[in-house]
């Protein structure tokens, strides 16, 4: 019997639904593509993905005073070439699509280094792009060399699994968060900093930790209470923390044991907020 036939049979008798309960509110250690292949089909309501950016860094980045900028130079962001990165992107997006429900959506965030390649992969795999959202940073890192514009934004692509998916969009909730005005596709938030920024040995624990305010808006926009949210690049657990606060379930996949330890500790301290606070934005928006 083929894998497709097995998946169909499991869906018909409900075993996929029961199996997905085993993974709810869990962090799974391992390579995201390998782990995704073990998850049941059509099980996840929404995906938020913050994949490697493929920054192609050559050497360190120095400030004018010659101090080193702590950037993304980890092994998980190193790829041989664009072809290698594209192969990785297609593989994890294909694996995610199998796990995503027919009416589910995916959000993928990236920089100019990778987001255009991700967009092509999404379309080639049959996803249907709904919006590209610009996260405009109120406090971006300066351009120390003065040879380019300051990189003050990242792009998030929001896509449904299929062209005709009946996806969730909480239009009224978005208006309520925006003084009863239609929510625009350019969002203004600071980068993660202060007490929210996780530290390890006095330094930031993860180079690209996302602010909770950003995930709060994503989840309020496109999920319902009790929905299951998957993050295949879980990092230090921002998606899980916000999901828990908002009464959503999560699955986190992460291969770095130090990030998993930080995420578990973080999630232990998170409490669900009251139902009547669901629409309260955690930070002030731009006026």
């Amino acid at each position: 019997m083929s894998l497709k036939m097995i998946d169909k049979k499991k869906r018909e008798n409900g075993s996929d639904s029961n199996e997905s309960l085993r993974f709810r509110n869990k962090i799974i250690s391992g390579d995201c593509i390998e782990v995704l292949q073990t998850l049941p089909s059509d099980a996840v309501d929404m995906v938020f993905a913050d994949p490697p950016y493929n920054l192609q860094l050559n050497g360190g980045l120095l400030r004018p005073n010659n101090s080193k900028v702590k950037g993304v130079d980890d092994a998980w962001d190193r790829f041989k070439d664009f072809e290698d990165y594209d192969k990785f992107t297609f593989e994890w997006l294909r694996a995610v699509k199998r796990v995503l429900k027919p009416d589910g959506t995916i959000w993928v965030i990236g920089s100019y280094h990778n987001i255009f390649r991700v967009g092509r992969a999404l379309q080639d795999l049959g996803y249907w792009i709904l919006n590209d959202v610009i996260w405009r940073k109120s406090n971006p890192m300066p351009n120390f060399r003065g040879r380019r514009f300051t990189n003050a934004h990242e792009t998030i692509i929001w896509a449904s699994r299929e062209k005709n998916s009946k996806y969730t969009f909480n239009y009224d909730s978005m208006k309520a968060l925006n003084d009863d005005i239609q929510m625009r596709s350019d969002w203004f938030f600071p980068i993660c900093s202060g007490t929210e920024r996780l530290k390890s040995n006095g330094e930031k624990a993860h180079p690209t930790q996302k602010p909770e305010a950003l995930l709060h808006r994503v989840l309020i926009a496109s999920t319902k209470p009790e929905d299951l949210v998957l993050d295949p690049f879980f990092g230090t657990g921002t998606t899980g923390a916000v999901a828990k606060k908002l009464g959503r379930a999560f699955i986190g996949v992460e291969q770095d044991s130090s990030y998993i330890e930080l995420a578990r500790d973080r999630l232990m301290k998170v409490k669900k907020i009251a139902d009547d606070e669901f629409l309260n934005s955690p930070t002030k928006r731009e006026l």
Side-chain angles (χ1 to χ4, degrees):
M1 186 180 293
S2 70
L3 182 60
K4 185 178 290 187
M5 291 174 66
I6 293 172
D7 282 343
K8 182 180 179 182
K9 188 172 182 180
K10 289 169 71 177
R11 287 195 297 272
E12 287 173 350
N13 63 28
S15 61
D16 262 6
S17 176
N18 294 331
E19 189 179 354
S20 67
L21 294 175
R22 295 194 301 112
F23 299 101
R24 291 175 76 90
N25 300 318
K26 295 289 194 302
I27 305 173
I28 307 173
S29 176
D31 173 82
C32 73
I33 297 169
E34 294 177 0
V35 171
L36 286 169
Q37 291 170 350
T38 70
L39 298 180
S41 301
D42 302 342
V44 171
D45 296 286
M46 196 207 84
V47 174
F48 180 84
D50 185 9
Y53 287 7
N54 192 27
L55 294 182
Q56 313 124 44
L57 290 181
N58 295 313
L61 178 60
L62 301 178
R63 298 183 178 90
N65 63 3
N66 287 324
S67 61
K68 186 176 181 181
V69 177
K70 176 63 176 174
V72 184
D73 55 4
D74 304 81
W76 49 258
D77 196 55
R78 295 175 192 156
F79 295 85
K80 184 172 60 176
D81 49 30
F82 285 132
E83 183 179 358
D84 187 33
Y85 185 78
D86 291 345
K87 180 176 181 292
F88 165 75
T89 301
F90 269 85
E91 287 181 354
W92 75 258
L93 282 172
R94 184 182 291 111
V96 160
K97 192 173 186 184
R98 182 188 66 81
V99 175
L100 195 60
K101 290 180 179 179
D103 292 332
T105 60
I106 180 171
W107 298 73
V108 188
I109 188 168
S111 68
Y112 69 88
H113 302 85
N114 71 323
I115 198 63
F116 303 108
R117 311 188 81 84
V118 170
R120 176 181 175 176
L122 283 164
Q123 291 182 315
D124 286 351
L125 287 167
Y127 290 91
W128 189 255
I129 294 180
L130 302 168
N131 278 113
D132 63 330
V133 174
I134 300 301
W135 167 30
R136 190 158 63 92
K137 304 173 183 179
S138 61
N139 54 343
M141 181 183 294
N143 185 284
F144 295 110
R145 293 177 177 173
R147 296 164 64 182
R148 302 185 186 184
F149 297 109
T150 297
N151 295 320
H153 78 278
E154 292 185 36
T155 301
I156 316 172
I157 297 175
W158 181 38
S160 57
R161 200 187 87 165
E162 315 285 352
K163 181 177 180 179
N164 297 318
S165 295
K166 297 177 181 178
Y167 56 89
T168 296
F169 178 52
N170 297 314
Y171 173 81
D172 291 333
S173 297
M174 289 294 96
K175 283 188 70 175
L177 284 176
N178 200 40
D179 295 338
D180 207 33
I181 300 170
Q182 284 189 344
M183 182 69 74
R184 291 162 42 126
S185 62
D186 53 335
W187 299 353
F188 188 76
F189 293 113
I191 62 174
C192 189
S193 60
T195 56
E196 186 183 324
R197 188 92 202 201
L198 299 186
K199 299 290 181 66
S200 178
N201 298 321
E203 296 188 353
K204 57 186 181 183
H206 194 291
T208 64
Q209 182 182 339
K210 297 301 181 288
E212 290 193 10
L214 185 69
L215 270 297
H216 179 276
R217 186 169 292 182
V218 166
L219 266 66
I220 288 292
S222 57
T223 64
K224 301 182 290 291
E226 303 301 327
D227 273 359
L228 180 57
V229 179
L230 167 69
D231 187 334
F233 307 98
F234 201 58
T236 53
T238 302
T239 301
V242 177
K244 189 174 179 180
K245 287 181 180 180
L246 295 177
R248 279 71 169 162
F250 69 87
I251 300 174
V253 182
E254 177 54 51
Q255 62 181 353
D256 189 303
S257 60
S258 62
Y259 292 160
I260 291 174
E261 184 177 348
L262 287 164
R264 283 179 175 155
D265 182 63
R266 177 185 189 178
L267 288 164
M268 286 287 290
K269 302 171 184 175
V270 172
K271 295 181 180 180
K272 179 178 178 290
I273 61 176
D275 289 351
D276 60 357
E277 294 177 341
F278 271 2
L279 298 182
N280 290 345
S281 180
T283 62
K284 282 188 177 181
R285 67 173 183 83
E286 183 186 25
L287 300 176

